[in-house]
Amino acid sequence: MNNFLKKRMLREPIQEIFDVARYLDAAVSAHMQGKFEVAKQLFVLANDQKVREWTESIWGKNSPYVVVRKIERIEQAEKLPVRMPNAEQKRQLLHRDGHHCRFCGIPVIRAEVRKYLHSIYPEQIPWGNSNITQHAGFQCLWLQYDHVIPHWHGGSNDLENVVITCSACNYGKMQYSLEEIGLYDPRDFDPVRSGWDGLERIL
């Protein structure tokens, strides 16, 4: 147990993730200025395979970055169904956490924003049914809502138990508790604050 060292995140972000965020930000700005060909080129640049490899290295099967130490489950007197935040609760979470993953700190983008941009640029922002057919940048920066303490471990649906994360941290953490995968509680650290707006201005 003493050798199971805690860490802030499953894997440190690579520089290419932040490059992708800049490309996407510039693409949206270009689109809003009517520079549609420039936007297309930038969306293509953001489909970075190094970023895809980073994402899949965390949420992939047998990831070397997700080491699990199983802990016995806690039997709850009353089992609550897993419930995701409603629209108003999501608004409150964004206000509290901002558009950054509470674990690794990378910028994140809501699915609603990606879906809207995909409808305008379907070729430059592919989004198929499998991981490999999805745009690597939007896949990595896909905003998720994670229950810090899982339901099976006594966690509730209260917003105090929910944080905004990126897709890699959320799917890499899976159903495990922080103790099982050796992570610090992200709520013990302040959210990242920056000028990144999650591309929300496009809506």
Side-chain angles (χ1 to χ4, degrees):
M1 183 177 293
N2 293 333
N3 294 327
F4 200 70
L5 300 177
K6 284 189 176 182
K7 52 190 178 182
R8 277 291 309 273
M9 62 202 74
L10 295 170
R11 183 184 177 187
E12 288 279 348
I14 57 175
Q15 178 58 45
E16 285 81 0
I17 294 172
F18 301 100
D19 294 339
V20 157
R22 283 194 291 272
Y23 293 145
L24 294 176
D25 187 68
V28 165
S29 293
H31 172 83
M32 296 177 73
Q33 295 165 10
K35 301 176 181 177
F36 306 122
E37 290 304 316
V38 173
K40 287 180 180 180
Q41 294 172 16
L42 289 165
F43 283 130
V44 170
L45 279 176
N47 195 9
D48 190 310
Q49 295 310 302
K50 288 185 179 178
V51 171
R52 184 187 307 284
E53 291 168 4
W54 181 87
T55 305
E56 293 187 346
S57 74
I58 298 172
W59 73 16
K61 185 179 180 182
N62 300 320
S63 168
Y65 301 99
V66 182
V67 180
V68 180
R69 179 191 59 178
K70 288 284 184 73
I71 294 176
E72 185 177 353
R73 297 189 176 198
I74 296 174
E75 288 297 327
Q76 294 175 265
E78 181 184 359
K79 292 184 184 265
L80 299 173
V82 178
R83 189 180 72 242
M84 297 309 294
N86 60 34
E88 172 57 24
Q89 290 172 325
K90 289 178 179 179
R91 187 194 66 77
Q92 293 177 37
L93 286 169
L94 275 174
H95 178 74
R96 187 195 72 192
D97 292 353
H99 291 87
H100 289 270
C101 175
R102 287 297 299 270
F103 284 99
C104 71
I106 70 171
V108 290
I109 302 167
R110 290 192 304 130
E112 292 83 350
V113 174
R114 184 250 303 154
K115 290 175 183 177
Y116 176 71
L117 288 168
H118 168 70
S119 72
I120 304 172
Y121 299 97
E123 294 183 10
Q124 291 76 29
I125 307 174
W127 200 260
N129 294 323
S130 61
N131 291 341
I132 196 65
T133 60
Q134 297 176 353
H135 187 284
F138 279 99
Q139 184 186 73
C140 177
L141 275 55
W142 186 2
L143 186 153
Q144 309 283 319
Y145 303 94
D146 177 65
H147 288 79
V148 180
I149 302 173
H151 283 73
W152 66 260
H153 208 66
S156 71
N157 290 308
D158 295 340
L159 293 192
E160 290 76 15
N161 188 45
V162 181
V163 294
I164 283 174
T165 75
C166 68
S167 61
C169 286
N170 185 46
Y171 292 125
K173 178 174 175 278
M174 296 184 284
Q175 76 276 17
Y176 299 115
S177 67
L178 298 177
E179 291 76 17
E180 285 184 305
I181 54 177
L183 288 177
Y184 285 113
D185 193 324
R187 299 168 298 183
D188 292 339
F189 305 90
D190 292 333
V192 174
R193 300 298 182 193
S194 75
W196 174 256
D197 70 347
L199 311 182
E200 294 283 337
R201 65 190 185 278
I202 194 66
L203 301 180

